[in-house]
Amino acid sequence: MPEMEPDSGVSVSRYEFWPAWFFYSPVVMQSLWHGVKYRNFALPLIANPGIALSGMVGESKNDILALAGSEAKKWISPFVTLTRTDMPESMQLNDALLAMQEEGIDFPIVAKPDMGCRGVGVQLLDSEEGVLEYIHTFPRGARYLLQEKVPYDAEAGVFYIRYPGEKKGRVTSITLKYTPFVVGDGTSTLAQLIENDPRAGQLSHLYFPRHQDKLDWVLTEGCQFRLAFAGSHSRGCIFRNGNQYITEQLAERLDHIFDDLPGFHFGRLDVKFHDIKSLMKGEKLTILEINGASSEAAHIWDRNTPLKEIFRTLLVQYRTLYEIGDLQRKAGHKTPSLWALYKAWRAEKALVEHYPATD
């Protein structure tokens, strides 16, 4: 499967850029009902007891991946975690390069905030100068990850659920991700190509600032120009429904991985893989990130997904969170306060505003 989708220019869903409140209003109403039913509105916050607030907000990528034992770690793309400090930036660069060397990580790499969502602050770096600039623009006191760029081009979001006490989990969603691009015609500038593309034209507010120094370039005929790197829908990545590729073999592989990564029962894995047959077999794949309770089964943003399926999927997800949370409560886990959730949301929001630009 190619990294860039051939028909990206005509892949527009009527729903994918509607405001989030429209889709989540029914979820909120259902959650109120379940909060009354279970006599606890915070049960989703213990569905993944190994993750702070179950990964609903403000979760640390490092802390989640660090749960992995030696076997699970084999399936996670190597990374190092560092903190932006007040030390001279040249010293921080040296620390970063040393940490990369110790983990056997070489350029190119992917830099990303430790606490963040929807691809914000993600950059592809291919030199020491790039790392130094990333450090320079990163907020002081915040942590960031430098992760090996996987040799696989294909990317997917795989949603996995396993109820407490069960030996087997389920893959409930696969979302194939494609990089948006435009193709040069030998006469149009990059800005014109973006504006004239049925999909990219709707996201010019994302692409223009990102490529402001290249907007007057005239691409040669047939030349492909990638508009985004981060595999996030809100950053312009194209999502396609891959649920037809769900297999028992893939679920069994994830069971094996999460047997060695305690405290995770519900969420989406962002993975890179060699080809679709390998993914279906649970082979030749590597995990980039593990997202918790607030993650979506992102196939709903496929251009062909009907509105009722979007609502149904989200409602099932949050009903499942309450069911798992109730089981965790019966196992002795205590729910945090909703005030803790609010404080974590405020802290994440404040940090995100100061992150570097996204590739």
Side-chain angles (χ1 to χ4, degrees), residues 250-297:
L250 177 57
E252 288 172 2
R253 173 64 66 195
L254 297 183
D255 291 340
H256 173 71
I257 293 172
F258 287 109
D259 282 343
D260 194 38
L261 199 154
F264 179 85
H265 294 270
F266 177 103
R268 190 190 68 240
L269 320 176
D270 293 334
V271 305
K272 289 274 193 176
F273 59 97
H274 182 268
D275 57 65
I276 197 64
K277 290 183 179 179
S278 297
L279 179 66
M280 293 170 70
K281 293 178 181 178
E283 301 173 350
K284 295 182 180 180
L285 62 88
T286 185
I287 297 171
L288 304 178
E289 294 183 14
I290 299 175
N291 307 278
S294 65
S295 54
E296 295 172 335

Side-chain angles (χ1 to χ4, degrees), residues 5 25 27 45 56 76 123 126 145 159 190 212 217 275 295 313 330:
E5 187 191 36
S25 293
V27 171
L45 304 183
M56 185 63 72
I76 296 172
Q123 293 187 8
D126 57 10
L145 275 65
F159 212 95
L190 177 59
Q212 58 184 344
W217 285 11
D275 57 65
S295 54
T313 300
K330 291 175 181 176

Side-chain angles (χ1 to χ4, degrees), residues 35-336:
V36 173
K37 175 183 176 182
Y38 290 105
R39 295 184 175 86
N40 193 320
F41 291 94
L43 288 179
L45 304 183
I46 56 171
N48 295 319
I51 304 174
L53 299 175
S54 195
M56 185 63 72
V57 69
E59 69 271 27
S60 161
K61 295 178 177 65
N62 172 80
D63 292 354
I64 296 174
L65 297 177
L67 294 171
S70 58
E71 184 60 32
K73 192 174 181 180
K74 297 175 184 178
W75 298 91
I76 296 172
S77 183
F79 68 96
V80 295
T81 306
L82 302 114
T83 301
R84 172 68 161 96
T85 67
D86 291 324
M87 294 173 57
E89 291 173 5
S90 59
M91 294 181 64
Q92 296 186 65
L93 172 63
N94 289 336
D95 289 343
L97 296 176
L98 180 60
M100 288 171 55
Q101 183 180 1
E102 291 176 348
E103 285 295 321
I105 300 172
D106 201 358
F107 292 104
I109 59 174
V110 178
K112 62 181 76 172
D114 178 49
M115 182 187 297
C117 57
R118 301 185 182 276
V120 64
V122 176
Q123 293 187 8
L124 177 64
L125 307 178
D126 57 10
S127 67
E128 295 181 11
E129 291 76 14
V131 177
L132 184 62
E133 177 61 22
Y134 193 82
I135 293 171
H136 176 70
T137 56
F138 207 76
R140 285 176 171 78
R143 294 198 301 186
Y144 62 95
L145 275 65
L146 301 178
Q147 190 168 43
E148 177 183 79
K149 185 181 184 297
V150 182
Y152 307 140
D153 285 333
E155 184 172 352
V158 179
F159 212 95
Y160 174 84
I161 297 173
R162 178 157 64 171
Y163 281 76
E166 293 187 349
K167 293 184 178 180
K168 293 187 176 183
R170 295 179 295 121
V171 174
T172 61
S173 167
I174 291 180
T175 306
L176 305 178
K177 302 182 180 183
Y178 294 90
T179 300
F181 69 97
V182 291
V183 180
D185 58 13
T187 58
S188 301
T189 65
L190 177 59
Q192 291 169 330
L193 292 172
I194 292 173
E195 289 176 334
N196 293 333
D197 186 275
R199 179 185 180 87
Q202 297 188 40
L203 297 175
S204 59
H205 63 286
L206 293 178
Y207 301 140
F208 277 14
R210 190 175 300 163
H211 304 294
Q212 58 184 344
D213 59 335
K214 306 179 183 69
L215 293 177
D216 59 351
W217 285 11
V218 177
L219 304 182
T220 58
E221 186 172 357
C223 175
Q224 292 183 343
F225 185 92
R226 186 176 64 185
L227 297 174
F229 170 74
S232 171
H233 181 259
S234 64
R235 304 293 155 181
C237 187
I238 300 167
F239 286 3
R240 291 287 169 262
N241 188 331
N243 287 348
Q244 67 268 34
Y245 303 118
I246 294 174
T247 64
E248 284 296 322
Q249 287 174 290
L250 177 57
E252 288 172 2
R253 173 64 66 195
L254 297 183
D255 291 340
H256 173 71
I257 293 172
F258 287 109
D259 282 343
D260 194 38
L261 199 154
F264 179 85
H265 294 270
F266 177 103
R268 190 190 68 240
L269 320 176
D270 293 334
V271 305
K272 289 274 193 176
F273 59 97
H274 182 268
D275 57 65
I276 197 64
K277 290 183 179 179
S278 297
L279 179 66
M280 293 170 70
K281 293 178 181 178
E283 301 173 350
K284 295 182 180 180
L285 62 88
T286 185
I287 297 171
L288 304 178
E289 294 183 14
I290 299 175
N291 307 278
S294 65
S295 54
E296 295 172 335
H299 74 273
I300 60 177
W301 306 123
D302 180 282
R303 60 185 168 184
N304 296 316
T305 305
L307 187 59
K308 67 177 182 179
E309 172 64 14
I310 296 175
F311 284 133
R312 188 194 71 81
T313 300
L314 292 175
L315 290 171
V316 168
Q317 280 189 206
Y318 280 82
R319 182 170 70 242
T320 302
L321 271 175
Y322 270 93
E323 291 172 352
I324 294 177
D326 184 48
L327 292 173
Q328 300 289 24
R329 178 177 58 176
K330 291 175 181 176
H333 295 284
K334 305 296 184 182
T335 55

